[in-house]
Amino acid sequence: MFRALAAAAGLCLLLNGIVLVGIDRVTLSEVGGRTVGSMLTESYDRPTVGEYGVAALIDATTDWLRSRVGPDPADDSRLSVDPPDWVGYAAVSVGFVTLLYAAAIPGPKKKPRYERF
């Protein structure tokens, strides 16, 4: 079961990475733009985990996403996301390595056809 899970995750990462290599900008739908926009503008009560804890990771991710999300040049009413160039290549690499790992995991043990007495 773990082998199939690793293969599915690797294939998903590989295919999404191939798509990300080929695109320059993603324009969100109106619903997606409202969802992402509300996530980036609303303030939240941050847990006090410490300087290098989960709160710092959430802040860093939100700040990075704020720098990458902006109005679409063709249509100002929609938001667009501009992913960096390295994200697609990283996803392809991690997906391929995960697929190789899934292939290296031993499969289930086969039962012999006939049992000896």
Side-chain angles (χ1 to χ4, degrees), residues 27-28 30 33 70-80:
T27 302
L28 303 175
E30 293 179 13
D72 186 25
D75 184 10
D76 286 339
S77 65
R78 293 184 176 206
L79 287 178
S80 66

Side-chain angles (χ1 to χ4, degrees), residues 12-102:
C12 183
L13 273 171
L14 182 72
L15 293 176
N16 283 325
I18 290 171
V19 169
L20 282 172
V21 166
I23 63 170
D24 290 330
R25 179 183 307 269
V26 177
T27 302
L28 303 175
S29 66
E30 293 179 13
V31 175
R34 282 195 307 260
T35 304
V36 171
S38 67
M39 286 176 15
L40 294 178
T41 57
E42 72 182 21
S43 62
Y44 54 91
D45 293 332
R46 192 167 61 115
T48 56
V49 178
E51 185 177 353
Y52 299 106
V54 175
L57 179 65
I58 291 172
D59 284 345
T61 305
T62 306
D63 291 341
W64 178 81
L65 193 56
R66 279 189 187 124
S67 69
R68 292 291 179 173
V69 173
D72 186 25
D75 184 10
D76 286 339
S77 65
R78 293 184 176 206
L79 287 178
S80 66
V81 180
D82 184 19
D85 295 335
W86 57 266
V87 172
Y89 295 112
V92 167
S93 301
V94 171
F96 187 70
V97 169
T98 308
L99 278 174
L100 288 176
Y101 175 70

